[in-house]
Amino acid sequence: MDRVSRLTVPLVLFSCGLADAADVTVAEKLLAMPRVLIVAHRGDSKRAPENTLPAFASAVETGADLVELDYRHSADGVPIVIHDETLDRTTNAARLYRRTKMPVAEMRSREFEKLDAGLWFHPRYSDVRVPTLEQALDVIQRGSVTLIERKSGDAATCVRLLSEKRLLDSVVVQSFDWKYVAECHRLAPRLALAALGSKELTDSKLDDAQQTGAKIIAWNQKHISRQQIDAIHRRGLRAWVYTVNDVERARELIGWGIDGIISDVPATMLDVAGRTKSDDQ
Ligand code: G3P
Ligand code: CA
């Protein structure tokens, strides 16, 4: 692999957090690399509890090009890193509050600090907390690039946080909600964006996705073909897929020219892509 490129991205990230002096942002440089990018889905989520700081640290250590996370707004409007709308699957909230199906949107940000987000995965992760988006960014951006998936909350809050942390040029933001993607583009035209989709990928959907300002089409791997990857490329866009854990499927997609693979097993995907950690140093 291109050792220089792999070194260049974190160096720029560390030194200034922005690339506003240059025409090409840190994120754009990463996207333009002539190799398939490996994205750790919800962190290194087979090795550590999804969407927690240990899962993010493990993904960075593995050498993932990007680390994906999901965020939702708390009742007081703080972006909190959690996938589901309710707390039951990945926290101990039901036991703690003796109530099931508590919505994330009804909890105030300070209340998340009381929750255990690791015990459900393995006892060794008890005491792991639900992170805020800010805490997650601090861990991931030390050695990788964050793929921020918005599940709920307005675009302005996310853009403001990224701007305050000087990360607008150094992350990728994605959503299934294309109005949100378009609003991010309006507020921060240099922010790298992905339009997420899950069902049949038609030309008219590609038209709509492209109009948001997204440069990446991130699609469910079950609904993507070689022809559709070609169609995405003809528009000058990048084609990413989620969630690929099967080695043979990954090989097939790489053969078709896929640009990014979002996976729960980033180490395996790095192997499939012919990447080893020493290549990257
Ligand atoms: O990165 C895309 C993928 O994460 C979308 O699905 O449900 O895992 O957020 P989900
Ligand atoms: Ca996600």
Side-chain angles (χ1 to χ4, degrees), residues 243-260:
T243 307
V244 180
N245 296 333
D246 180 75
V247 167
E248 285 315 310
R249 180 61 170 156
R251 286 203 180 109
E252 179 175 52
L253 288 157
I254 292 170
W256 292 350
I258 201 74
D259 303 297

Side-chain angles (χ1 to χ4, degrees), residues 19-247:
D20 42 8
D23 287 323
V24 180
T25 68
V26 171
E28 283 166 349
K29 252 190 213 170
L30 179 65
L31 299 182
M33 283 187 183
R35 58 173 166 85
V36 62
L37 297 176
I38 304 302
V39 187
H41 184 235
R42 309 182 193 176
D44 201 359
S45 55
K46 287 274 193 239
R47 289 185 176 158
E50 67 177 56
N51 280 323
T52 64
L53 300 185
F56 299 143
S58 177
V60 171
E61 174 61 22
T62 298
D65 296 298
L66 296 103
V67 181
E68 194 252 11
L69 59 76
D70 305 283
Y71 84 83
R72 300 178 170 277
H73 276 201
S74 63
D76 49 337
V78 177
I80 301 291
V81 177
I82 188 164
H83 179 275
D84 298 0
E85 218 173 325
T86 56
L87 296 165
D88 297 12
R89 185 176 63 86
T90 57
T91 79
N92 62 342
R95 215 181 56 213
L96 200 66
Y97 293 105
R98 296 190 186 157
R99 186 187 144 196
T100 59
K101 296 189 182 150
M102 283 179 72
V104 171
E106 286 181 15
M107 302 269 293
R108 296 187 66 79
S109 50
R110 295 304 300 265
E111 293 178 285
F112 287 92
E113 293 167 17
K114 298 179 206 145
L115 298 179
D116 187 310
L119 199 51
W120 69 275
F121 186 85
H122 192 279
R124 105 174 138 262
Y125 291 103
S126 67
D127 278 346
V128 167
R129 303 288 123 184
V130 179
T132 62
L133 177 56
E134 181 165 17
Q135 289 166 339
L137 288 167
D138 288 342
V139 170
I140 298 168
Q141 295 295 133
R142 265 182 228 147
S144 188
V145 168
T146 315
L147 173 59
I148 301 170
E149 183 183 343
R150 173 272 198 176
K151 294 294 190 193
S152 78
D154 61 311
T157 301
C158 182
V159 168
R160 194 180 321 115
L161 175 66
L162 295 174
S163 172
E164 283 165 8
K165 294 184 76 65
R166 298 170 61 82
L167 287 174
L168 276 174
D169 285 358
S170 315
V171 297
V172 181
V173 174
Q174 66 175 3
S175 185
F176 286 102
D177 176 353
W178 294 357
K179 285 192 184 138
Y180 171 93
V181 176
E183 181 64 0
C184 282
H185 186 61
R186 193 184 69 76
L187 293 170
R190 287 166 68 90
L191 181 58
L193 296 164
L196 273 167
S198 60
K199 302 249 164 69
E200 195 195 353
L201 178 50
T202 60
D203 274 348
S204 110
K205 281 190 194 168
L206 276 181
D207 289 343
D208 292 347
Q210 194 160 17
Q211 271 179 18
T212 64
K215 295 286 184 288
I216 303 155
I217 304 298
W219 219 258
N220 186 327
Q221 59 94 12
K222 291 181 192 149
H223 297 279
I224 202 150
S225 63
R226 183 196 285 265
Q227 290 70 27
Q228 285 158 329
I229 293 171
D230 290 345
I232 292 168
H233 287 161
R234 278 197 297 276
R235 290 170 183 257
L237 303 172
R238 315 294 286 177
W240 290 7
V241 278
Y242 70 90
T243 307
V244 180
N245 296 333
D246 180 75
V247 167

